[in-house]
Amino acid sequence: MADLYPKLKAFSPPGNLVDLSDANRARWSEAVSSWINNEITETISGQAQLKQFFDGTMVDGYYTLQGVTITWHGFPLKIGEAAAGNDEKRWMMADYSRDGQDEYLEWALLRDRANNILRVTFTCESPEYWDFMAGYQMDTAIRNIRSLNAPLLDSVSDIAFFNVDPSEPNNRSGWSYRGNNFYNVSTILGTITHLVQPANTLGAAINTVAQATVLRKSEDGRAVTDPDLLIDCSGYGDPIGWSINQRALQGDAVSLADPVGLYIVKFDTDNFRLDPIGDGDEASLVDIPAGTFVWQRGDIANERGLRLRVQIPDSVRSLDGQRQLTVSDIYDTRLKRHIRYGAQFADYIIMGVSVVINPGEPAPAEFGLDDANPTFPSSLPSSVISSVRSNPTSLPSSVYSTPGSHGFRTTRGHPEEWEP
């Protein structure tokens, strides 16, 4: 007789991607399970043992559990605060460097000589997944990098995406994937493969969800529920941490929903129209042509978008027929202005992480951490993080995030919870 309440069979690739062979899909599932169980069994930097966080492949009844999606805005909060309400300034700052794009959403632009935007591409794919794919299926990873960024990388050598032993540059078995390669760190080349900002890792998200299940109490024994106080005593912030902690207070045990990943759950295009004349006259605006907003990876129909490309299709010309229209000819009817920055689209992107909850009784509360700044796991080597931090930029230092900075956001307010 079939098990009426089975465990999760396996963790799927993010967004149910089909890149991996069956054998490597199994390996990926094992990797995700190991990351989750490391959180459960290991005490990191004084963190408490976890009693309300679980692995869906080890708990009966996974397929009957309620799913909840925790959401937040894709535009970088810290940059918005630093710009003090000046839209032009915050958009410019967000487009300037991937290091400031710290909401698990990063993007890159391609401009023409007149500074018009030809293409802007957004991604929320984790570096861990691409490390894995390049390690087990190098040819698949290379093919994906090229096709997703076509035609910009057509003439680039494969070696550009890898760390290579200079004494044996042609020995591909000795190559190791370099996520922060030249074509995946900039906002201005138009090429992007996956997240590279040091705090934007799948490990960071897993850690936040896991540690947020620990209930906290003050010195006098009262439950800590205020978002700012939870930040101080637990080392994580809202919206993910606060929302998960509220579930744990009710007695719910929590796990990452399959497929585990960070996702674009919504992109609101209702305010965008195309200006075929270029004068902003709303009477002359037309609908955005089909093929402008293309989901290249993931499953946006099920709120699991991974990669979005914005580009006006070829042969869509101005009303007088004299020029090819560009992304800069898109007009925002809400703000009454044309698109001049990729960051303008980020204002309309909602990010999310999905969890499943298993009702139960709350575990005993723990006192806060002495050091509320745990080190989040990252697939990026320390040398990469050091390199990123050492590059000087003109952005205020308060804008930049360090690993774990998703745990220090105090002004976002209570997040939404979307029931799938």
Side-chain angles (χ1 to χ4, degrees), residues 83-96:
N86 184 319
D87 281 341
E88 189 81 12
K89 182 177 180 181
R90 69 184 180 87
W91 292 330
M92 183 182 299
M93 292 167 68
D95 273 9
Y96 183 83

Side-chain angles (χ1 to χ4, degrees), residues 33-55 59 203-216 234 236 244-245 248 251-256 361-367 369 374 376-377:
S33 185
S34 71
W35 297 333
I36 290 174
N37 282 286
N38 284 344
E39 293 285 346
I40 295 171
T41 59
E42 293 184 3
T43 301
I44 305 171
S45 302
Q47 295 170 347
Q49 292 286 342
L50 305 186
K51 300 179 177 64
Q52 289 179 252
F53 185 63
F54 65 94
D55 177 350
V59 173
I206 293 173
N207 180 272
T208 298
V209 172
Q211 299 304 322
T213 63
V214 179
L215 304 183
R216 296 296 179 183
S234 294
Y236 60 77
I244 296 300
N245 192 259
D252 295 334
V254 179
S255 187
L256 278 299
E361 296 296 325
E366 307 279 346
F367 289 114
L369 299 175
F376 287 171

Side-chain angles (χ1 to χ4, degrees), residues 149-292:
N149 292 288
L152 302 177
L153 299 179
D154 288 355
S155 61
V156 174
S157 170
D158 294 350
I159 206 170
F161 314 127
F162 294 85
N163 295 307
V164 176
D165 184 346
S167 66
E168 295 183 297
N170 297 320
N171 179 14
R172 294 169 70 96
S173 65
W175 291 8
S176 62
Y177 180 61
R178 182 156 53 98
N180 71 328
N181 65 76
F182 179 78
Y183 300 100
N184 191 40
V185 292
S186 171
T187 60
I188 63 174
L189 297 179
T191 56
I192 186 170
T193 300
H194 56 74
L195 302 173
V196 294
Q197 205 277 354
N200 288 342
T201 70
L202 186 58
I206 293 173
N207 180 272
T208 298
V209 172
Q211 299 304 322
T213 63
V214 179
L215 304 183
R216 296 296 179 183
K217 61 183 178 181
S218 61
E219 292 182 356
D220 59 6
R222 291 180 297 172
V224 176
T225 59
D226 178 81
D228 291 340
L229 293 179
L230 283 170
I231 291 171
D232 291 338
C233 71
S234 294
Y236 60 77
D238 58 319
I240 300 176
W242 184 86
S243 298
I244 296 300
N245 192 259
Q246 296 304 294
R247 293 284 179 173
L249 278 169
Q250 300 172 33
D252 295 334
V254 179
S255 187
L256 278 299
D258 181 63
V260 176
L262 289 309
Y263 296 111
I264 300 171
V265 300
K266 183 180 180 181
F267 175 44
D268 184 356
T269 62
D270 289 349
N271 295 312
F272 297 128
R273 302 270 282 166
L274 189 64
D275 183 357
I277 297 177
D279 61 1
D281 179 3
E282 294 200 19
S284 66
L285 301 180
V286 299
D287 290 342
I288 299 293
T292 297

Side-chain angles (χ1 to χ4, degrees), residues 49-86:
Q49 292 286 342
L50 305 186
K51 300 179 177 64
Q52 289 179 252
F53 185 63
F54 65 94
D55 177 350
T57 65
M58 298 183 178
V59 173
D60 291 332
Y62 173 87
Y63 296 98
T64 68
L65 300 179
Q66 178 188 3
V68 174
T69 299
I70 311 301
T71 65
W72 62 93
H73 290 285
F75 188 90
L77 176 66
K78 289 184 178 181
I79 288 179
E81 292 172 344
N86 184 319

